Amino acid sequence: MNTKLGFIGGGNMAASLIGGLVPNTITANNVMVFEPNADKAQELQQRFGIQIAQDNAQLVSECDAVVIAVKPQVLHTVLSPLAAVITKHCPLLISIVAGIRGNTIEQWLGQSLSLVRVMPNTPALVGAGISGLYANTHVTEAQKQLTETLLNSVGQSVWVNSESDIDSVTALSGSGPAYFMLFIKALSDAAEHAGLPPETAIQLASETARGAALLVQQSDQSLEQLIDNVTSPGGTTEKALKSMHANNLTKVLTEAFDAARQRSEELALELSQT
Ligand SMILES: NC(=O)c1ccc[n+]([C@@H]2O[C@H](COP(=O)([O-])OP(=O)(O)OC[C@H]3O[C@@H](n4cnc5c(N)ncnc54)[C@H](OP(=O)(O)O)[C@@H]3O)[C@@H](O)[C@H]2O)c1
């Protein structure tokens, strides 16, 4: 990749993306970060050999694509002084900031931009993330390819057709790691209660979650069929599933998804007024 790639913010997500990209996909001297915390900036430079910008304006003026990786609450303050330099250099902006809509960013910068919104998730930290991507109408095919290369370096990615779908991505895969971790915790706690050592219980529960996910991804069979394959009549799985249905687990999960999606919409409104 010959593109010069910049990161505004050198926190957890930026570090995991840089770790996925350098050195195989992009050479270290084509990556630049601005991070106000000098210790963090130095650590990134030592770890990956990347360039550290003096400020965000220098980074925008030297990079073809800029990943915005700061917390939502500071985004307005971070972007406002960059309007002129962005107008002059027109980099592709790739925002991984949760909850802030593209038109809010355009409003803050006072211009139309090539902008991709990304909703990554925390398994990106171990190279197993999945990101939802939305490109506005100014983004070219080449810029979409570049964004995919970036996010696929820490997992997989899927494009969505409307920006409001990012709220669904947020409620499914953005928040989703916590849902599956809660499953792992509840099941391993139950097994621990029944006498298994905690580490054994967590290993059994988490590896079962990973194995089930791999089966879903690699099998041609439907989810219903795969569930059926584990469920013998009169057996243990049947008994457990009956108990889950009696407790309305599907309703619990549907309502949890809807609540998260609604909160994502509310946050976007709240954050557009910051
Ligand atoms: N972590 C996730 O799984 C995840 C998932 C989906 C979306 N996201 C989004 O990704 C973004 C980054 O998350 P994160 O977990 O990487 O956060 P983080 O670790 O807090 O990183 C943000 C970094 O931005 C720096 N920063 C603050 N002001 C800045 C400025 N003016 N210019 C440049 N950098 C500045 C912060 O420095 P200081 O520490 O000195 O303040 C910090 O190092 C967030 O918007 C979040 O919503 C994260």
Side-chain angles (χ1 to χ4, degrees):
M1 198 156 85
N2 267 332
T3 310
K4 184 121 187 185
L5 186 63
F7 287 82
I8 296 183
N12 295 320
M13 283 310 269
S16 65
L17 286 169
I18 294 166
L21 288 166
V22 174
N24 294 335
T25 311
I26 187 168
T27 54
N29 59 7
N30 271 338
V31 177
M32 185 179 261
V33 175
F34 175 67
E35 164 55 54
N37 179 323
D39 291 341
K40 266 195 212 171
Q42 198 187 6
E43 195 199 320
L44 285 172
Q45 190 174 33
Q46 281 171 356
R47 197 164 145 206
F48 301 113
I50 57 175
Q51 292 183 279
I52 300 299
Q54 299 280 311
D55 54 31
N56 286 323
Q58 184 205 351
L59 180 129
V60 168
S61 67
E62 292 189 20
C63 292
D64 308 299
V66 173
V67 179
I68 307 172
V70 295
K71 291 286 189 209
Q73 293 75 8
V74 300
L75 186 60
H76 192 184
T77 319
V78 170
L79 287 183
S80 295
L82 300 176
V85 71
I86 288 175
T87 308
K88 188 163 175 210
H89 295 278
C90 300
L92 168 67
L93 296 185
I94 302 171
S95 171
I96 66 165
V97 181
I100 299 202
R101 302 243 190 276
N103 62 5
T104 302
I105 292 177
E106 288 187 322
Q107 220 175 315
W108 288 344
L109 288 169
Q111 58 198 299
S112 300
L113 306 153
S114 295
L115 178 76
V116 177
R117 258 194 81 192
V118 178
M119 175 45 62
N121 66 5
T122 50
L125 302 173
V126 291
I130 176 107
S131 304
L133 315 175
Y134 171 74
N136 75 7
T137 51
H138 304 290
V139 176
T140 65
E141 270 312 309
Q143 289 175 325
K144 284 175 96 174
Q145 287 274 317
L146 169 72
T147 309
E148 275 183 38
T149 305
L150 169 69
L151 274 310
N152 291 354
S153 73
V154 290
Q156 300 179 16
S157 56
V158 289
W159 288 98
V160 294
N161 292 324
S162 97
E163 191 171 0
S164 69
D165 285 342
I166 290 287
D167 292 318
S168 295
V169 172
T170 304
L172 183 56
S173 53
S175 301
Y179 315 157
F180 290 100
M181 287 162 191
L182 180 64
F183 260 82
I184 291 169
K185 175 156 174 41
L187 290 170
S188 56
D189 281 354
E192 193 187 330
H193 219 73
L196 278 186
E199 320 76 62
T200 308
I202 291 172
Q203 186 185 358
L204 287 165
S206 59
E207 202 51 30
T208 302
R210 197 164 80 99
L214 284 175
L215 259 184
V216 169
Q217 288 170 0
Q218 291 177 16
S219 168
D220 293 335
Q221 295 182 317
S222 67
L223 282 167
E224 290 78 5
Q225 185 59 54
L226 287 169
I227 292 171
D228 241 34
N229 296 347
V230 199
T231 315
S232 349
T236 56
T237 313
E238 187 185 69
K239 203 77 181 166
L241 292 178
K242 268 191 181 153
S243 165
M244 289 181 192
H245 289 313
N247 285 296
N248 246 329
L249 182 65
T250 305
K251 183 164 172 265
V252 167
L253 294 176
T254 307
E255 286 183 4
F257 172 88
D258 290 343
R261 192 180 189 290
Q262 192 183 333
R263 185 63 190 138
S264 178
E265 286 174 4
E266 288 166 5
L267 278 174
L269 263 182
E270 285 171 28
L271 290 165
S272 69
Q273 281 144 23
T274 53

